[in-house]
Amino acid sequence: MDSRRLLRTSATALAAAGLILSGCTGGSDAAAPADPGTTRARAADRPSPVPEALKEFYGQKLAWRDCGTAGFQCATLRAPLDYAKPAGPEVRLAVSRVRASGPGTRIGSLLVNPGGPGGSAVDYLQGYAGVGYPEPVRARYDMVAVDPRGVARSEPVECLTGPEMDAYTQVDQTPDDQAETKALVASFQRFAEGCEKRTDEVLPHVSTVETARDMDILRAVLGDERLHYVGASYGTFLGATYAELFPGRVGRLVLDGAMDPSLSALDLNRDQTAGFETAFGAFAADCVARPDCPLGTGTPESAGEALKKFFRAADAAPVPTGESRPLGESLATTGVIAAMYDESAWPQLREALTRAIGGEGSALLALADSYYEREPDGSYTNLMFANAAVNCLDLPPAYQGPADAEKAVPSFEKASPVFGAGLAWAALNCTYWPAEATGRPHRITAEGAAPILVVGTTRDPATPYRWAESLADQLSSGTLLTYEGDGHTAYGRGSDCVDTAINTYLLEGTPPPAGKRCS
C-alpha cells in the first residue's frame, strides 16, 4: 500500500453510486480561447504570452459530444506528451462538463479534481460535483473536469493484471526476517517493471507539473482568462503547482485537505502516518464508549493494542474470507485505513472488525478492496498505478534501499504505534521506479496570484492539518480556513460554516477572514 495515496474516498463512493445514464447534447460550442497576452488583469499580474510552439494546443476547439450521463458533455483535449518537445507525440485527455444552470450571471468554468493522485476527475464530476455541489455554485459556473494524464480515460498507466495485483496487495509489509524483506522488495520491483512494460512512453510524463500545464491549455480552450478550481487532497498540490506556474492566471482556487509541497517523500509519509494515528485515536475513543466495541471498552490506547494484536494474529494465520484471498495483516491494515478517511465509515469498520476478530474476514476485505478500487470481477481500476507513477515522479524516493526503510521504522512507530511499521516499509515503493523523479520538495509562494483559499481539517488522516497551515503560510495570497473535525477534507461534509465560507469565495471572490474556524 502506498501511504501517500490521498484520494477522497467518500467522494469517490458518491461518484460510483450517483451515475445517471441518459443522453445530452452534442456539437461544439466552446468559446474562443482567451489571448493570454490581452487579459484584463492588472499589468503587474499579466501572464506571459503563450509560446509559439504551444499555440496550436491553446487554439484548439473542443468537439463536445454526448457522453451517456444526463446533462453532461464530453470532449478530448490534446496536449504535448513532452512540453520540452511540443512538436513530438501528443496525449489525449478526457474532459467533461455540465453547463451552468442559472439563474445569475455565469462566472466561468469551475475545474474540479478529487485527488489521488489517480482519482478520476470525470467520474467525480459526473457522479458528485456536477450534481452535488451547492446549487448556487452550479448555477453560476460550468462545472468541468479533466482526467489527468495517466489517469482513467487519459492515457492510463497500466502495471499489473488483476491476479498480479491480488498477489501484490497480499505481500507482507511488516517483514520479520530477511526472506520476507526480499519478498517485499521483489513485489515493488515487479510492480515497477510491470508499469514500465505496459506504459513505457507515457510513464515519464505524468508529473504534476505537466498536468498543471495541461490545465492551463484547458482554461484557455474553455475561454476563461483565469482558472477557477476546487482541488481536494492531492488536488491541492496540483492547484498550488498551477498557481506557481501561472500566478497571473489564478482565479478562485480552493485547496481542500492541503498537501505541503516543501516536504520530502520521507517526511510526507511519516507525517501522514501520524495523521492516520490521530484519526484512529478519534475512532477508538468513539468505539470504546460503545458496549459492542470489538477492541474492548477500555481506553483508546488499549484499543490500539487490541488492534495491533489482531494484526499480528492475521500475520501469523490469515483470516478466512470465503474466497481464495484470505485476510492477512496487509489487507487487514488497508481495510482499517480505508475507514479512516470518513467518520461515516466507522460503524462499518466496527462490524468488519467484530467479524474478522471472530474468524470471518470478508467485511474487512471488502473495505480493503474499496481502497484499492478492486472490481467485483477481480480487475482493478488504474488508481494505484497512476498513484505510484505520479508520486514517484514528483519527489525523489524516500529511501535508497531496504536498509533505509528498516532504520526509519522506529520513527514511524513513534508517529503511529498502530500503523507505523507497515507505512514505513510502504514508502520503499519508489526506490525501484524506472522513471527518474523530475520534481523536488520546495516552498510554493505563487507571488502575484489572486487570493487562494486553503482548507484544513484538524483530524484529517491523510493530509494532516499542519500541512494546510504550512501551505497557507507559503502562498503569498493564501488564507486558511479551519474545520475542527474528523475525516478527509471539509467541503460538502456537513458543516454549514465551511460550505458558506467556500461558496462565498467561489461566488464573490472574497475569502473568509484570517483565522476563520468552523466546526
Side-chain angles (χ1 to χ4, degrees):
M1 181 182 62
D2 182 350
S3 66
R4 287 187 60 213
R5 177 185 181 269
L6 305 177
L7 178 69
R8 183 184 177 186
T9 52
S10 59
T12 301
L14 285 169
L19 296 179
I20 305 170
L21 300 180
S22 184
C24 52
T25 59
S28 176
D29 56 0
D35 179 353
T38 59
T39 178
R40 289 192 296 268
R42 291 177 300 144
D45 295 338
R46 190 166 293 159
S48 301
V50 174
E52 187 67 32
L54 295 178
K55 284 188 175 179
E56 174 191 357
F57 297 102
Y58 275 82
Q60 68 187 285
K61 305 287 186 181
L62 294 181
W64 295 102
R65 62 186 183 275
D66 176 0
C67 52
T69 302
F72 292 88
Q73 297 173 302
C74 291
T76 301
L77 181 76
R78 295 183 298 107
L81 173 68
D82 183 350
Y83 276 90
K85 302 175 182 177
E90 298 177 358
V91 291
R92 295 182 178 271
L93 310 176
V95 181
S96 184
R97 75 174 177 187
V98 59
R99 298 293 250 170
S101 60
T105 304
R106 176 184 174 277
I107 296 171
S109 305
L110 182 63
L111 197 64
V112 296
N113 183 284
S120 170
V122 170
D123 286 350
Y124 177 74
L125 174 75
Q126 294 181 358
Y128 175 63
V131 294
Y133 267 32
E135 190 279 332
V137 174
R138 291 183 287 114
R140 304 280 304 282
Y141 285 99
D142 292 345
M143 301 290 293
V144 181
V146 54
D147 279 347
R149 52 175 63 203
V151 175
R153 302 163 183 82
S154 297
E155 314 281 357
V157 172
E158 299 293 345
C159 300
L160 301 177
T161 66
E164 289 170 340
M165 190 66 181
D166 281 346
Y168 175 77
T169 62
Q170 295 179 74
V171 173
D172 187 353
Q173 292 209 3
T174 55
D176 300 314
D177 53 38
Q178 194 63 29
E180 289 187 350
T181 298
K182 287 182 177 179
L184 179 58
V185 168
S187 74
F188 288 137
Q189 290 172 330
R190 284 193 297 270
F191 188 99
E193 290 165 0
C195 298
E196 184 176 31
K197 177 181 177 181
R198 294 177 171 89
T199 324
D200 187 30
E201 185 178 50
V202 175
L203 201 62
H205 295 290
V206 294
S207 70
T208 297
V209 166
E210 288 162 310
T211 293
R213 298 190 70 173
D214 296 340
M215 291 202 309
D216 195 55
I217 292 176
L218 179 58
R219 170 205 59 78
V221 170
L222 292 170
D224 293 320
E225 293 183 350
R226 292 177 179 252
L227 180 80
H228 306 303
Y229 174 84
V230 177
S233 196
Y234 159 79
T236 66
F237 179 47
L238 178 57
T241 299
Y242 180 90
E244 179 180 40
L245 293 172
F246 307 105
R249 298 173 190 166
V250 167
R252 300 167 190 179
L253 262 62
V254 177
L255 308 181
D256 184 12
M259 289 183 64
D260 182 350
S262 71
L263 297 178
S264 68
L266 179 60
D267 288 337
L268 280 169
N269 278 278
R270 193 159 40 209
D271 278 5
Q272 193 183 59
T273 298
F276 281 116
E277 184 71 19
T278 298
F280 175 76
F283 164 76
D286 177 80
C287 186
V288 298
R290 301 172 183 272
D292 61 345
C293 178
L295 302 177
T297 55
T299 65
E301 291 74 21
S302 66
E305 288 299 321
L307 183 59
K308 288 168 61 179
K309 180 180 178 181
F310 166 66
F311 286 159
R312 288 194 295 269
D315 186 29
V319 182
T321 61
E323 58 174 280
S324 61
R325 295 180 301 140
L327 185 77
E329 181 183 14
S330 292
L331 284 171
T333 303
T334 302
V336 174
I337 282 178
M340 294 298 98
Y341 281 79
D342 191 334
E343 67 271 26
S344 69
W346 290 358
Q348 183 181 356
L349 177 59
R350 289 197 303 272
E351 179 184 356
L353 283 172
T354 298
R355 291 170 58 182
I357 293 170
E360 201 289 299
S362 62
L364 197 53
L365 178 64
L367 279 169
D369 285 350
S370 71
Y371 181 95
Y372 285 121
E373 291 196 358
R374 186 182 191 270
E375 304 291 356
D377 64 1
S379 64
Y380 289 75
T381 71
N382 94 310
L383 169 68
M384 300 309 297
F385 310 145
N387 182 270
V390 176
N391 282 336
C392 295
L393 282 183
D394 280 350
L395 288 174
Y399 311 126
Q400 295 302 306
D404 290 343
E406 189 170 11
K407 290 177 183 177
V409 168
S411 67
F412 275 73
E413 289 184 319
K414 182 179 180 180
S416 173
V418 176
F419 306 115
L423 295 184
W425 283 99
L428 187 62
N429 69 327
C430 288
T431 301
Y432 308 100
W433 202 248
E436 185 177 354
T438 54
R440 294 293 183 273
H442 64 285
R443 292 175 60 85
I444 292 180
T445 61
E447 293 288 343
I452 297 173
L453 181 57
V454 179
V455 187
T457 297
T458 55
R459 293 185 294 279
D460 191 313
T463 51
Y465 175 66
R466 65 179 181 179
W467 289 2
E469 291 180 302
S470 178
L471 180 60
D473 181 65
Q474 291 173 45
L475 292 167
S476 63
S477 60
T479 294
L480 177 64
L481 172 65
T482 298
Y483 173 51
E484 297 176 345
D486 298 293
H488 185 33
T489 73
Y491 191 34
R493 292 179 54 84
S495 169
D496 288 340
C497 174
V498 168
D499 292 354
T500 297
I502 294 176
N503 293 344
T504 299
Y505 170 71
L506 289 174
L507 296 173
E508 300 176 11
T510 305
K516 175 75 173 178
R517 301 181 75 89
C518 296
S519 59

